[in-house]
Amino acid sequence: MSRKTLIHLVLVLAMLLALVSAVSAAPPAQEELSYTIKLGDTLWDLGEKYLGSGFAWPALMASTNQKNIEDSTFAYIKNADVIHPGWKLAVPSEADAEAFMAAYDSSKPELLFGSRASGQLVVGSWWTAGGEAEGLNGMFRIYRDKYPDVEIVNATVAGGAGTNFKAVLKTRLIGGDPPDTFQLHAGLEVEGYSPEQYIEPLDDIYASAGLEAAFPSDLLTLLKYKDHYWGVPVNIHRSNVLWYNKAVFEANGLTPPASFDEFKTVAEALKAAGITPFVLGTKDGWEAGHIFEDILAGTMGAEKYNGLWTGDTPWTGADVAQALENFKMMLSYANPDHSAHTWDSAGEFLIAGTGGMMIMGDWTDGWFTSKGFTGYGWASPPGTQGIFVALSDSFAMPKDAPNADNTRNWLKVCGSLEGQEAFNPQKGSICARTDCDPSLFNAYLQSAMVDWGQDAIVASVAHGAAAYESWATDYKDVLTLFVASGDVAAAQTGLQQACVDAGICQ
Ligand code: GAL
C-alpha cells in the first residue's frame, strides 16, 4: 500500500470514528432531579438554570404537579408566580422538558396540573404459590397507593419456574395480545422471546430512575442483552439451598451433610428412623434440572460449572458422570411418588416431619413463612459451600403493551426501594438493589445477603440465567428422563447433545 493510500485510509477511519462518537455522544436520558425552593427563586430563573431557558418554566411546573400526584412531598403549584421557599420541585431531564414543551399548548392549562393514571395494568407472572403471591401483592400495594385509579389485573399462569406461563406468554406476544408487563428471568432467557421484535428496551427508565447506580454491576451485566436492558430486576434468588426439618435432625442427632458421602450417611440414618430422607417433586418437568445444577456446581466447583455454559468444560468429562452418579445416589432416598408432586407440595413432607431434606431455591423460605412454619434449617447442598447459584426475576414491557404509561410506572415501582422492600421479605429473596434495610428480612435472608456479598456467584440454568431457553429446555428434559431411567451414560450423552444443539459444543 502506498504512503498516500495509507494516509487516506487513516483519514477516512478518523472521520468514521468522529462520526461514531458524535452519534454516541447524544445526551443520555438523565436522572430526574429534585430541587428545594430558596428565597427569591422564580420558576423562570429555575427554568433558565436547569433547562437552559426561562421559557421552559411550564415543564418545571407540570413535572412537579405530576410528581405530586404520586408523592405528596412534592409541591402542588397552582399559580406559577406563587412558589414558596421549602417547596420541593421535580426537575425533568432536558429531553423530557423539550418533549413537554413541544406538545404544550397554553390554551390548555390542564396540561400544567398533571393527570391521574387510569385504566388497567395487566401483570403476567407465575407467582401463585404461598410467599410468591404475597410478595407480588406487596408490590401491588405500593403501586395502588401511587396510582389508585389504575385497576391491576393479576394475570398469573400457575406452574413453578414458569413452565406453563412462558408458553402462554410467547403465544400472546406473537399474537399481538400481550399483558402490559411480564415476569422475565435476568440473563439469556430473553433471547427466546425475540426481544428486538417483541420487547421494549428499558434503557430510558434505567437512566431516569437512576437504576444503574442501584444494582450491582454483575447483575447489570447479566441483564444486558444485545446492549440493552429488557427487564427491571426485583430480586436475587439462590438456587442452591438444602432445607431440612430441624426437629427431625435434632431428634436423630444429625447435622446437615456438607459432602455427598455425608449425604449418604445422613440419608441412611433418616431412612432407619422411618423418615423419607430426600423429598422432591418432579411434576412440572424443571425440578430435576434445578437440583442437578446444584449437584454439578457441588461436584466440580464454580469455575468448571461456569465452563459448562461457555464450552470450556466438556459435558463428556468424568466430573459430569460423577455428578450424575451423585444425583442417582440421592434419588435412591427420594419419595417414590415424586412425579405426582410440585416443589411446594413436596415441601409439605418437610413441614409434616415425614421428610428430612429437600433441595430447592429460596422461594421455599417465602413459602415456609407463608405457611407459618418456622422449624426449618438451611445449608449449602453438598459441595456448594462458598458458591451461590444465582438467578433474578425481572419485569419486562412488551412493545405492544396496551397500557404503556401504566407499565412504565409499574417498572419504576419494581426498581424502587419501597417496591423491593415490600416484595422481597415475603417472596423469600433478597433485593436486587443494594440499599434495602436488612432488618426487614428474616434470619435466612440475612444469611443469603452475606453470602451474596462474598460467595463465588454462578448462573442458574434452570431459571433462565446461564443459557438460551432452547438449551435450558433440552437440559431439563434430559434430567427429567434421567430421574425415571437412572441411566447415567444415556443422560451424559443427552447433555452433550443438548450442548451441541445449542452450538456451544462440537
Ligand atoms: C423461579 C422464579 C422464582 C420462583 C420459582 C418457583 O423460576 O424465579 O421467583 O417463583 O421459579 O416458581
Side-chain angles (χ1 to χ4, degrees):
M1 188 186 306
S2 76
R3 204 181 141 83
K4 211 170 140 196
T5 326
L6 190 72
I7 292 173
H8 197 80
L9 204 70
V10 169
L11 277 177
V12 170
L13 268 176
M15 272 163 62
L16 269 176
L17 271 176
L19 207 67
V20 168
S21 54
V23 169
S24 57
Q30 294 160 357
E31 208 173 318
E32 288 163 7
L33 285 177
S34 70
Y35 174 82
T36 307
I37 294 182
K38 298 191 186 61
L39 199 64
D41 280 343
T42 64
L43 282 189
W44 179 274
D45 290 347
L46 293 172
E48 231 166 33
K49 182 165 174 194
Y50 288 106
L51 304 174
S53 160
F55 286 107
W57 67 264
L60 206 50
M61 177 167 168
S63 78
T64 301
N65 284 340
Q66 182 63 42
K67 200 83 183 182
N68 166 275
I69 292 173
E70 299 162 24
D71 178 350
S72 58
T73 65
F74 284 86
Y76 186 68
I77 308 170
K78 277 198 196 126
N79 178 340
D81 293 328
V82 183
I83 57 173
H84 294 289
W87 278 11
K88 195 159 97 173
L89 301 188
V91 182
S93 66
E94 280 193 35
D96 286 351
E98 254 173 50
F100 176 83
M101 292 308 292
Y104 178 58
D105 176 347
S106 58
S107 71
K108 291 187 187 152
E110 64 272 19
L111 294 176
L112 293 173
F113 295 101
S115 60
R116 290 176 88 89
S118 60
Q120 284 193 330
L121 174 75
V122 182
V123 181
S125 84
W126 59 87
W127 287 334
T128 56
E132 304 181 337
E134 282 88 343
L136 187 56
N137 261 326
M139 271 198 302
F140 286 169
R141 217 174 32 247
I142 305 282
Y143 188 87
R144 278 196 195 101
D145 282 353
K146 288 181 187 291
Y147 312 104
D149 299 340
V150 176
E151 181 203 354
I152 297 177
V153 179
N154 189 12
T156 51
V157 181
T163 350
N164 307 318
F165 174 83
K166 289 181 192 172
V168 172
L169 175 71
K170 211 169 192 171
T171 315
R172 290 189 65 174
L173 281 176
I174 294 170
D177 170 37
D180 291 309
T181 179
F182 65 91
Q183 186 184 347
L184 171 72
H185 284 127
L188 293 175
E189 183 172 293
V190 69
E191 184 265 353
Y193 293 123
S194 309
E196 284 146 313
Q197 202 172 346
Y198 296 114
I199 306 183
E200 193 65 33
L202 302 177
D203 309 326
D204 56 340
I205 293 186
Y206 270 69
S208 66
L211 295 184
E212 280 193 326
F215 305 132
S217 59
D218 287 353
L219 179 60
L220 291 169
T221 308
L222 189 66
L223 287 157
K224 251 195 182 166
Y225 174 73
K226 296 215 169 154
D227 225 27
H228 293 294
Y229 295 115
W230 304 95
V232 174
V234 287
N235 66 1
I236 304 287
H237 263 309
R238 181 176 194 151
S239 151
N240 60 320
V241 189
L242 182 142
W243 307 98
Y244 62 97
N245 181 307
K246 275 204 293 196
V248 166
F249 267 55
E250 258 160 45
N252 292 281
L254 298 170
T255 50
S259 65
F260 292 100
D261 284 347
E262 281 179 31
F263 183 95
K264 199 169 164 49
T265 312
V266 169
E268 282 296 336
L270 290 168
K271 193 171 155 186
I275 289 155
T276 306
F278 184 49
V279 298
L280 88 150
T282 54
K283 191 175 175 192
D284 284 332
W286 59 275
E287 303 90 336
H290 174 118
I291 297 168
F292 190 63
E293 71 185 13
D294 300 336
I295 296 175
L296 279 171
T299 306
M300 60 176 63
E303 216 181 305
K304 280 190 163 180
Y305 171 89
N306 281 337
L308 290 170
W309 312 109
T310 57
D312 292 332
T313 304
W315 284 91
T316 48
D319 28 21
V320 171
Q322 185 56 52
L324 286 163
E325 292 292 354
N326 289 339
F327 193 20
K328 190 170 173 176
M329 176 275 288
M330 294 163 93
L331 287 168
S332 71
Y333 295 105
N335 45 308
D337 60 350
H338 54 77
S339 63
H341 283 284
T342 56
W343 69 271
D344 47 331
S345 72
E348 298 283 1
F349 292 118
L350 211 86
I351 294 183
T354 52
M357 303 178 275
M358 153 165 158
I359 292 179
M360 190 34 65
D362 53 8
W363 40 91
T364 310
D365 172 79
W367 181 74
F368 283 148
T369 307
S370 79
K371 293 254 150 189
F373 178 59
T374 53
Y376 62 99
W378 59 89
S380 301
T384 62
Q385 297 77 13
I387 302 177
F388 192 117
V389 185
L391 58 128
S392 166
D393 295 300
S394 78
F395 277 90
M397 172 164 164
K399 279 207 199 300
D400 289 339
N403 301 288
D405 287 345
N406 292 345
T407 306
R408 289 181 178 280
N409 290 337
W410 166 251
L411 295 174
K412 283 187 206 153
V413 169
C414 289
S416 71
L417 181 62
E418 48 181 343
Q420 302 216 346
E421 287 186 339
F423 173 70
N424 286 294
Q426 303 196 68
K427 175 68 169 75
S429 42
I430 59 175
C431 290
R433 296 183 64 97
T434 52
D435 53 357
C436 284
D437 176 1
S439 73
L440 298 171
F441 293 78
N442 67 16
Y444 164 73
L445 290 169
Q446 290 189 6
S447 80
M449 284 177 202
V450 172
D451 293 345
W452 171 246
Q454 68 189 20
D455 284 1
I457 309 296
V458 304
S460 159
V461 64
H463 304 280
Y468 288 146
E469 189 64 9
S470 51
W471 186 4
T473 303
D474 289 352
Y475 157 92
K476 285 184 262 190
D477 289 349
V478 171
L479 270 308
T480 300
L481 265 178
F482 176 68
V483 169
S485 74
D487 188 336
V488 169
Q492 191 165 14
T493 307
L495 290 169
Q496 162 68 7
Q497 189 57 45
C499 181
V500 172
D501 292 347
I504 299 292
C505 296
Q506 303 280 319

